[in-house]
Amino acid sequence: MRKYTSAYPALWRVMDVLEGAFAAVWPKKGGNYTPYLMLAPAILLVGTLVVGLLYIGDTSLRTLDRTTFQFSDFWTLDNYTRAFFESFTWTIIWRSLMGAIIVTFVTLILAFPYAYTMVRTTNSTLRKFLLIALFLPFFIGQVVRAYGWLIILGNQGIVNDVLGLVGVEPLRLLFNYPAVLFGLVQYMLPFAVLMLAPAMTAIPEEIEAASTSLGASWIKTMTYVVIPMAKPGLIGAGLVVLTLSLTDFAMPAILGGGTQDFIANAIYDQFFRTSDQGFGASLAIILIGIETMIVGLIFAVFGAGTLELGSNDS
Amino acid sequence: MTFKKTINRRQLLKTSAAAGTVLAAPSILWAAEPAKPAELIVRAWGGPWVEALKNGVSDPFTERTGIRIIHDLTEDNEIQPKVWAAVAQNRTPPIHINWDTTTNATKSALRGVCEDLSDLSNLAGTTDLAKPVGVEGYPIVNTYGYVYVLAYRTEAFPDGPPASYHDLLDPKFKGRVAFYNDGIGFHFPAQVAGGGSLDGIPDAMDPCWDFVTKMKEQNPLLGEDPDFVTWFQNGEIDAACTISTNALGAKRNGVDIAWTVPAEGSKFDTDGLWIPKGHSESELYWAKEYINSAITQEAQQVWLDGLGLPGVVPGLTPPEGLAGDPSYPTTEADFERLIRISGKTQVEHESEWFSKFKQIMQG
Amino acid sequence: MNQPFGQKALFWTLVVISIVTLSAPTFVVLGASVTSGNIITFPPEGFSLKWYGKILGEQDLRDAFMRSLWVATICVIVAMPTGTLAGIALSKYRMRGGLIIQTYLLLPFTIPLIGSGIGLMLAFGDAGLLGNLWPVGIATAVINLPFMIWAVSSSAAGLDPDLELAAQSCGAGPVQTFFNVTLPAVTPGVITGSLLMFILSLNEFLVSLLLVDARTVTLPVQIYNSIRSIITPDLAAVSVVFIVVAMLAITALDKFVGLEIFLKSK
């Protein structure tokens, strides 16, 4: 018979102490509150943002006196009234909202086959290649990537050079709405794929095989089997792309040629150019309000996707 | 003979007393000079701008005093809320010296966050240009001026420079003209181009907006300084209303560019240096010394050679090729066609002009 | 499984479009960095490594890069426990007020970065925290937190609750179950999330812009500031160096953990 050097491993002793401490601090009946305890650090961390938001909210209620450049001592809703009544605000909100929706749509259309191929391929080198192609752009950063596109799509850029070979005059491919949307799509694509991939992995291949063996064409399989099963991933990815595009600042600024401002650009202008921090803050609050409503709506209608609650409770 | 001897002795006494004072003076000065900080932070625009500043002002200052200069390259617009927040929250501001546009600096001055610079010894040697218009005293010291010229690609204008902004309304320039994205530099000539007069600024600016609406038909590109340089270099535009330094930059990189002051005139404005409140006494002292050194002739000559802009001290030699150039005004006659509007008026109406311009261009 | 030809053709076309779109700027930046001229163009004029020589000699850039690494490290240290706990909680439990908590935790995305930046600057300023680097790390952790939470919760979604019950029926207390059963099961998600957080924090410039000053400036902010003044090929060179470092990191990651972890939920 083997001789044990110690009857009770040290690690177990440590665990016992931790268990004891936990039991002492957290009553047995507290089991229901465990999730709240686990969420507490995250809630606190995001709380710092909320504190910042309070400062912004306070600023939004103060108007700027342009002779002293001081903010008013008293609170007033003037900034909000101004925002509501200026038609420019609505132009921008509409442009940003439409843009974000289109970008989400296009990104998901491109991300789905990419995630599918990446997950389903049996060739591991190919999978790595696809993953790396996804990651590398992250390291160049949004702004430098946008400048890269300015060079490619510019008047003297490659695309126009190639078109010139067939005798087409240089086209103005940049500094318009489609250019901004394109820039947003190429920026959001990696995020969308990364969020879709785990959801796709969870769909067993056999189900697709089963569907085909029951006589469904590949389009039917996709539509009725794969996409619904990928729904949590699609919603998660869609939400992320929607919120990030709506609040993006760099792409509209760089690819838009100054004529395609999104909401974040308008906020930037007010904070930094006209020094009217109150007005900028009110625009920010309006944006947050609109977005929270949209997000809440999506959560309520579609469920939270991969962020789903209690998906494991049987 | 005795007389001479007496004089000699008196002379001797005088000179030795004088010598003694001179020798003792440094130690008196040292005693009066506050402790030197290890470094001072100066905000500057990057690229050729900060290089010119280093050569003309920062490096010589470091050599003289031993204080290291760190250049903060944050944009002037973006540092403003940071500085204002610091002063409002009683913290040390993130920079010691701000190299800013006079318009921006005027806002800070009106808000009361600038230290008073009236006691700088070298101010006595500067021209009127150094004094900011519309604010009391010297919360800012203007350091040079610049012109918002009409820059153009010579290839696109074979018959010579465009005589007026109306020339840019030609359909062949659709999508090939550029302005600052807040319309700055263009408002005032547009007022004239639209049939109005400069006296109408700021209260009767309809002619300006009418002309801007006409220009909108040309689908202009809107951007900031680095964009103009890139656009000219990449052949995206044929003409722009921009400061001459950008055109000069593109020219030095080999693009065939020239510039002119059209019939409507061109806006003239200044940049300056100021110190945010909230620094310790010793740091304030040395920051002031820095600005003081920036308005000496030697510093201005080297600094502004790199920028190609006219300074605020008399007797500067213009850089090669810029003597008599409309972007380098020095005499009264040069200033005839340039438009100068008080900083105070500009900052008061800026927000309004900004929104109107954006509304027309993007609405 | 053999995909039908129609599906393959369509999917692969789209994938190729995606790859080209994602990689094109990389090549442009690479090409522009080796130009012997002074302007960023593609194809480059001539070939010269002078821009690399220039940036490798600049102490400022090196310092900024080290600071960025430090900020990214703090970000991961803060986000890992916070995001993991939250991800597990959201995935395992059904709770009251869930919808509100979900929307609340998505705030970092719904608040525009400029708003977050200014708000945090004012809040940290009042607390006297500005001038240090660690608040910047915390800030980058906050604004990217949903990614971490998502990564962990999608991993935890695959966690079989029976495993935990089994552990408990064998006598394991709650703490032990957590460390020995739950945590190992979500490790793929934790690693994925942490890496994502690191990369995002390393590249963050908008919120950092408002929280740093000249003594604490990070690399992305420095690059952004330079671009606002003038765009020269040395910025392209910096980006290429970044990419090379990234490739090395990715290769190392692949050797240790396997890149496929990003695809797995289990």
Side-chain angles (χ1 to χ4, degrees):
Chain A
M1 197 160 122
R2 254 169 76 185
K3 192 156 183 267
Y4 289 98
T5 43
S6 71
Y8 202 63
L11 186 58
W12 288 14
R13 287 193 201 277
V14 173
M15 277 297 168
D16 282 345
V17 171
L18 285 176
E19 295 281 0
F22 187 67
V25 169
W26 201 243
K28 265 209 163 14
K29 285 271 179 6
N32 280 340
Y33 294 103
T34 319
Y36 295 105
L37 176 69
M38 294 174 83
L39 280 172
I43 294 187
L44 275 175
L45 196 58
V46 176
T48 52
L49 263 189
V50 175
V51 173
L53 208 54
L54 289 174
Y55 278 91
I56 299 249
D58 174 76
T59 315
S60 75
L61 292 169
R62 299 180 192 279
T63 45
L64 182 68
D65 179 348
R66 295 203 86 97
T67 48
T68 60
F69 277 89
Q70 299 276 3
F71 291 100
S72 57
D73 287 329
F74 48 89
W75 279 2
T76 158
L77 285 177
D78 279 352
N79 287 324
Y80 288 98
T81 6
R82 184 175 151 203
F84 275 114
F85 285 109
E86 247 183 39
S87 71
F88 188 53
T89 316
W90 297 107
T91 316
I92 294 208
I93 292 183
W94 182 248
R95 185 188 289 151
S96 318
L97 214 45
M98 275 298 108
I101 294 177
I102 299 177
V103 167
T104 310
F105 203 55
V106 175
T107 311
L108 286 179
I109 292 182
L110 283 179
F112 186 81
Y114 200 102
Y116 185 86
T117 316
M118 202 164 60
V119 162
R120 288 278 181 259
T121 184
T122 43
N123 185 343
S124 123
T125 326
L126 182 62
R127 195 173 312 152
K128 286 201 180 130
F129 170 73
L130 287 176
L131 264 173
I132 294 181
L134 215 51
F135 266 111
L136 272 193
F138 269 133
F139 284 96
I140 317 185
Q142 219 193 126
V143 177
V144 181
R145 253 156 95 190
Y147 277 105
W149 281 110
L150 283 185
I151 297 178
I152 301 176
L153 297 175
N155 234 16
Q156 299 170 344
I158 308 175
V159 176
N160 271 320
D161 279 349
V162 166
L163 287 176
L165 289 177
V166 247
V168 180
E169 283 288 309
L171 295 173
R172 177 40 67 71
L173 297 166
L174 289 170
F175 310 129
N176 47 37
Y177 199 43
V180 174
L181 296 185
F182 172 73
L184 281 171
V185 168
Q186 61 97 28
Y187 175 61
M188 296 296 166
L189 195 54
F191 290 119
V193 174
L194 279 181
M195 300 199 70
L196 264 182
M200 299 286 250
T201 323
I203 305 175
E205 278 194 71
E206 298 78 38
I207 293 208
E208 287 180 68
S211 158
T212 326
S213 76
L214 287 170
S217 71
W218 68 265
I219 298 181
K220 280 222 171 86
T221 315
M222 280 295 138
T223 328
Y224 293 109
V225 178
V226 183
I227 293 183
M229 290 188 77
K231 198 173 82 149
L234 283 171
I235 294 181
L239 258 172
V240 168
V241 175
L242 189 69
T243 48
L244 289 183
S245 323
L246 197 54
T247 56
D248 195 60
F249 155 77
M251 289 299 163
I254 300 173
L255 292 174
T259 50
Q260 309 295 333
D261 282 356
F262 275 34
I263 302 185
N265 304 98
I267 298 177
Y268 177 93
D269 282 341
Q270 295 306 327
F271 269 119
F272 295 114
R273 295 240 174 78
T274 60
S275 314
D276 197 343
Q277 297 184 14
F279 190 50
S282 63
L283 286 176
I285 301 274
I286 294 178
L287 172 63
I288 297 170
I290 295 181
E291 272 196 281
T292 315
M293 279 196 299
I294 297 181
V295 167
L297 199 67
I298 295 184
F299 275 152
V301 172
F302 290 107
T306 26
L307 305 164
E308 203 148 73
L309 288 172
S311 47
N312 269 341
D313 253 4
S314 32
Chain B
M1 286 301 209
T2 344
F3 187 64
K4 264 204 181 140
K5 268 195 196 146
T6 326
I7 292 177
N8 281 343
R9 225 179 295 141
R10 264 198 228 129
Q11 294 277 39
L12 190 59
L13 281 171
K14 266 198 211 158
T15 27
S16 53
T21 336
V22 166
L23 284 171
S27 45
I28 299 176
L29 280 176
W30 284 140
E33 247 177 31
K36 291 185 188 173
E39 61 211 3
L40 287 177
I41 305 182
V42 179
R43 189 217 77 82
W45 289 282
W49 300 82
V50 72
E51 292 304 318
L53 185 72
K54 273 192 201 157
N55 292 336
V57 187
S58 303
D59 289 346
F61 183 79
T62 308
E63 264 182 56
R64 250 189 340 116
T65 61
I67 303 177
R68 191 163 84 102
I69 299 288
I70 303 182
H71 295 100
D72 186 336
L73 300 184
T74 313
E75 273 288 290
D76 49 346
N77 291 323
E78 287 159 7
I79 204 124
Q80 192 183 66
K82 289 166 86 167
V83 171
W84 287 13
V87 177
Q89 291 175 334
N90 280 324
R91 294 180 278 120
T92 320
I95 52 176
H96 291 95
I97 295 143
N98 199 353
W99 177 14
D100 206 355
T101 62
T102 306
T103 316
N104 266 347
T106 308
K107 293 189 218 173
S108 298
L110 288 173
R111 190 180 162 97
V113 303
C114 306
E115 293 279 8
D116 179 39
L117 299 173
S118 327
D119 56 354
L120 292 185
S121 58
N122 291 330
L123 273 178
T126 57
T127 61
D128 284 336
L129 206 55
K131 170 113 185 30
V133 180
V135 288
E136 280 184 31
Y138 281 90
I140 323 153
V141 174
N142 292 340
T143 48
Y144 58 81
Y146 49 90
V147 183
Y148 287 84
V149 295
L150 210 188
Y152 61 95
R153 276 194 329 121
T154 38
E155 258 179 25
F157 291 87
D159 300 323
S164 147
Y165 276 107
H166 282 279
D167 292 355
L168 296 184
L169 292 177
D170 187 321
K172 72 177 173 189
F173 294 124
K174 207 170 180 121
R176 312 235 357 131
V177 297
F179 300 97
Y180 281 101
N181 51 17
D182 46 8
I184 205 148
F186 185 55
H187 300 127
F188 308 148
Q191 168 85 346
V192 178
S197 92
L198 293 175
D199 299 322
I201 300 172
D203 302 308
M205 300 222 7
D206 284 339
C208 164
W209 307 122
D210 290 337
F211 192 70
V212 171
T213 316
K214 282 213 193 105
M215 194 54 91
K216 154 97 169 125
E217 309 293 315
Q218 292 292 76
N219 286 340
L221 296 185
L222 304 177
E224 297 174 38
D225 291 318
D227 299 319
F228 290 108
V229 184
T230 316
W231 289 336
F232 271 124
Q233 281 168 185
N234 293 342
E236 302 275 356
I237 54 175
D238 292 324
C241 172
T242 178
I243 61 180
S244 54
T245 318
N246 295 327
L248 191 64
K251 189 174 185 165
R252 283 177 178 159
N253 273 336
V255 188
D256 208 355
I257 287 197
W259 50 85
T260 173
V261 172
E264 293 88 6
S266 285
K267 179 177 176 213
F268 179 82
D269 216 331
T270 49
D271 282 350
L273 296 170
W274 59 277
I275 302 175
K277 286 192 175 153
H279 287 292
S280 67
E281 265 199 52
S282 57
E283 295 190 333
L284 176 59
Y285 176 85
W286 288 105
K288 278 182 167 176
E289 279 301 304
Y290 182 90
I291 298 188
N292 211 18
S293 71
I295 46 179
T296 59
Q297 190 173 16
E298 310 80 59
Q300 288 252 306
Q301 184 68 57
V302 179
W303 181 16
L304 300 178
D305 263 355
L307 304 178
L309 298 171
V312 297
V313 294
L316 293 174
T317 332
E320 217 183 283
L322 284 182
D325 189 283
S327 71
Y328 200 96
T330 38
T331 64
E332 276 280 333
D334 293 334
F335 279 95
E336 291 275 290
R337 305 244 316 269
L338 300 178
I339 311 171
R340 250 195 117 185
I341 305 281
S342 123
K344 190 150 187 290
T345 313
Q346 287 189 59
V347 305
E348 261 175 31
H349 294 272
E350 171 193 59
S351 175
E352 186 196 315
W353 296 343
F354 186 89
S355 326
K356 271 208 115 94
F357 188 82
K358 287 250 164 179
Q359 187 113 7
I360 297 177
M361 285 297 178
Q362 291 198 39
Chain C
M1 183 191 110
N2 261 329
Q3 296 175 17
F5 181 70
Q7 177 179 344
K8 251 194 177 148
L10 177 64
F11 276 26
W12 271 103
T13 321
L14 291 176
V15 170
V16 166
I17 293 179
S18 300
I19 296 185
V20 168
T21 322
L22 287 172
S23 324
T26 316
F27 286 111
V28 169
V29 168
L30 187 61
S33 67
V34 293
T35 180
S36 56
N38 282 335
I39 314 177
I40 291 207
T41 54
F42 189 82
E45 309 168 357
F47 183 88
S48 156
L49 291 175
K50 70 180 182 185
W51 297 104
Y52 287 96
K54 177 165 185 265
I55 58 161
L56 291 174
E58 278 186 41
Q59 184 65 22
D60 288 347
L61 286 177
R62 275 207 295 271
D63 289 342
F65 183 59
M66 299 314 305
R67 285 187 218 117
S68 294
L69 286 178
W70 178 235
V71 166
T73 313
I74 302 230
C75 170
V76 172
I77 293 179
V78 169
M80 213 193 278
T82 322
T84 309
L85 286 176
I88 296 177
L90 283 177
S91 170
K92 274 177 51 173
Y93 300 96
R94 192 165 282 148
M95 60 193 108
R96 293 246 274 269
L99 191 62
I100 299 183
I101 297 185
Q102 291 273 47
T103 320
Y104 174 85
L105 287 177
L106 210 53
L107 268 181
F109 284 179
T110 52
I111 304 183
L113 286 180
I114 299 190
S116 309
I118 300 255
L120 286 174
M121 171 184 77
L122 293 173
F124 284 167
D126 249 349
L129 296 174
L130 291 181
N132 300 313
L133 270 180
W134 60 266
V136 185
I138 295 192
T140 48
V142 177
I143 58 180
N144 289 315
L145 195 63
F147 280 122
M148 184 81 202
I149 299 182
W150 153 75
V152 173
S153 72
S154 71
S155 221
L159 176 62
D160 193 345
D162 294 336
L163 281 174
E164 295 190 332
L165 289 173
Q168 285 172 334
S169 76
C170 285
V175 177
Q176 198 162 9
T177 321
F178 183 78
F179 278 108
N180 286 357
V181 179
T182 323
L183 219 41
V186 298
T187 305
V190 175
I191 297 186
T192 318
S194 305
L195 280 166
L196 204 52
M197 294 297 279
F198 192 81
I199 298 175
L200 290 174
S201 174
L202 204 56
N203 279 299
E204 208 289 313
F205 70 91
L206 207 43
V207 172
S208 312
L209 176 66
L210 290 160
L211 296 176
V212 300
D213 60 47
R215 296 187 186 104
T216 53
V217 67
T218 57
L219 190 58
V221 176
Q222 188 79 324
I223 295 179
Y224 173 70
N225 284 334
S226 302
I227 288 185
R228 303 275 270 117
S229 293
I230 185 150
I231 305 155
T232 42
D234 52 357
L235 296 171
V238 172
S239 304
V240 174
V241 171
F242 233 48
I243 295 177
V244 168
V245 170
M247 279 304 288
L248 292 173
I250 290 182
T251 329
L253 177 67
D254 193 32
K255 285 266 169 340
F256 280 122
V257 177
L259 274 183
E260 323 217 323
I261 207 164
F262 283 94
L263 303 177
K264 291 193 176 57
S265 51
K266 315 201 209 290

